[in-house]
Amino acid sequence: MTIFRLLSIVTLFAFLSCNNGKKQSYLPGSIGAINQITVVMDNELWKGEVGDKVREHFAAPAIGLTWNESIFTLNHVPPKVFTGAIRNSRAIIYVEKDSVNESGLNNDKYATPQNVVIIKAPTNEALIAHIDSKAEKAIAVFKNTELVETQKRLLKSLNTEGVLEEKFNISMSVPSIYKVGVQEDNFVWMDREIQKGHMNIIAYTMPSSSFATDSTLVHDIIKMRDSIGKLHVPGPDVPNKTTYMRTEPAFSPSVFPIEIGGIKGIEVRGVWDIKNYPMAGPFLTYILNDKANDRYMVVEGFTFAPATNKRDDMFRLEAILKTLRFQKKNIEK
């Protein structure tokens, strides 16, 4: 019996370590701050036009913030120090002058989850061409991995108040640190304190006739946000003044198509301010076409944190909002 057990264990280990005759590699977990990319290239390339091209794409200004912050933080290292733990970075761009002409995006090369863009070419011009051709896809892949990692870190302990389910028949994985401060017939406001400010999530619905044509879409979105702000998000008391949150008039919001939980809609990024009061910050709104319930479901995150960077706060709000899911409509008999 002892020999039989030993043979069984050996067989089990052999089975687990092979897949169709190939050995499985067991990788360490990737490391790094959210939205940080390790850029591996020699100093001459980094300081010249090739490095400029990497910065042009991967350190471009993030949309909808109150001042310029790059979409990613770039951490440059020369190839000779690209060893040890730094290889376990979650996002890597490796650029090298070489006789071969190669560009590609690899997953889980040194750690998991990990995305590695490898670009090799004999000239600066060829390197730049490869960077231009790969940047859009790489940014999308990097962002998606960072979003999943952010959700993993944020959503370990969740708010269980159940207000969103009760009011709108939706679910959303909101960290327990957020608390419901306001709930009305068609409006919920949750918030949390952060250093020097607060982060906020609001939810409400709009009639299915709210957005008449594409030509008036931005105007209709601004009108919607401003009316909700006037009704539900008051500003500080100012004698003889009406204060409320609105869309900053000087900056037109950016609008993109989106799909969340299988429902199509639009993503809106911009800047809010308080009418008649010096207070402002970034917002991110998702407007989802909930045809099954003949409505638009609107969820929004916005931050107030004066004199601080807000990119990562808004990214955390994005990670939360994108967990939204529509529940099956209850059928009353």
Side-chain angles (χ1 to χ4, degrees):
M1 181 63 70
T2 303
I3 294 174
F4 177 76
R5 285 182 177 177
L6 180 60
L7 288 173
S8 299
I9 292 171
V10 170
T11 302
L12 177 62
F13 272 102
F15 175 77
L16 292 175
S17 62
C18 296
N19 182 18
N20 295 327
K22 296 180 180 179
K23 291 184 178 180
Q24 291 287 313
S25 55
Y26 295 92
L27 299 172
S30 56
I31 60 173
I34 295 296
N35 290 325
Q36 179 175 285
I37 299 175
T38 297
V39 181
V40 186
M41 66 170 72
D42 67 35
N43 292 330
E44 182 180 354
L45 288 175
W46 177 248
K47 293 176 182 177
E49 59 184 353
V50 177
D52 288 343
K53 182 57 66 172
V54 170
R55 287 184 284 273
E56 176 188 323
H57 288 292
F58 295 91
I63 295 172
L65 300 181
T66 46
W67 62 55
N68 279 351
E69 296 180 57
S70 61
I71 54 174
F72 296 108
T73 301
L74 305 185
N75 176 33
H76 167 247
V77 297
K80 64 182 179 181
V81 301
F82 184 58
T83 60
I86 200 166
R87 287 192 173 204
N88 297 341
S89 301
R90 201 165 42 256
I92 298 170
I93 299 173
Y94 191 101
V95 181
E96 181 182 23
K97 259 190 177 176
D98 195 285
S99 58
V100 302
N101 211 326
E102 171 190 349
S103 66
L105 178 60
N106 299 321
N107 298 322
D108 302 344
K109 187 174 178 64
Y110 306 107
T112 184
Q114 184 183 63
N115 302 302
V116 183
V117 175
I118 298 177
I119 294 174
K120 298 180 181 182
T123 66
N124 285 1
E125 291 75 13
L127 289 172
I128 288 171
H130 282 311
I131 293 167
D132 279 334
S133 68
K134 294 296 180 185
E136 184 177 357
K137 180 180 179 181
I139 288 169
V141 170
F142 285 158
K143 180 178 177 180
N144 184 67
T145 300
E146 295 305 284
L147 205 64
V148 171
E149 180 65 22
T150 299
Q151 289 171 337
K152 187 191 304 181
R153 296 182 185 187
L154 279 179
L155 307 182
K156 294 179 179 178
S157 175
L158 299 180
N159 180 290
T160 58
E161 293 175 286
V163 176
L164 296 176
E165 291 86 345
E166 178 185 338
K167 295 285 185 183
F168 306 116
N169 203 31
I170 63 171
S171 66
M172 194 156 63
S173 298
V174 181
S176 58
I177 196 168
Y178 286 82
K179 303 299 181 185
V180 175
V182 177
Q183 54 173 310
E184 300 177 10
D185 287 343
N186 185 37
F187 183 81
V188 171
W189 184 354
M190 312 172 78
D191 68 339
R192 60 157 295 188
E193 290 187 1
I194 57 174
Q195 189 175 15
K196 299 184 179 180
H198 46 82
M199 294 167 64
N200 307 264
I201 295 171
I202 60 176
Y204 54 93
T205 65
M206 295 293 291
S208 59
S209 58
S210 298
F211 307 101
T213 65
D214 290 344
S215 62
T216 62
L217 180 60
V218 174
H219 174 268
D220 292 341
I221 291 169
I222 293 171
K223 181 180 177 181
M224 174 194 76
R225 293 194 70 262
D226 292 357
S227 64
I228 291 295
K230 191 171 185 178
L231 280 172
H232 299 293
V233 190
D237 290 331
V238 178
N240 303 317
K241 298 285 186 180
T242 299
T243 65
Y244 60 89
M245 186 179 75
R246 63 178 182 177
T247 308
E248 164 61 71
F251 301 98
S252 180
S254 299
V255 180
F256 309 92
I258 192 73
E259 183 174 315
I260 298 177
I263 304 296
K264 293 183 178 180
I266 53 176
E267 174 185 278
V268 187
R269 293 180 182 269
V271 176
W272 62 268
D273 75 351
I274 298 295
K275 184 177 176 64
N276 296 317
Y277 193 82
M279 190 174 175
F283 73 84
L284 168 64
T285 304
Y286 292 115
I287 305 170
L288 300 174
N289 189 2
D290 184 11
K291 292 181 180 180
N293 293 292
D294 193 32
R295 66 181 184 176
Y296 284 99
M297 185 70 230
V298 184
V299 290
E300 177 173 316
F302 64 96
T303 298
F304 176 67
T308 64
N309 290 333
K310 302 170 185 66
R311 179 196 69 185
D312 291 342
D313 288 336
M314 294 307 296
F315 196 74
R316 293 183 188 102
L317 286 170
E318 178 181 352
I320 295 168
L321 297 181
K322 283 186 172 177
T323 65
L324 186 151
R325 296 295 181 267
F326 290 83
Q327 306 300 303
K328 290 183 179 180
K329 191 173 182 179
N330 295 325
I331 299 176
E332 295 183 2
K333 295 183 178 180

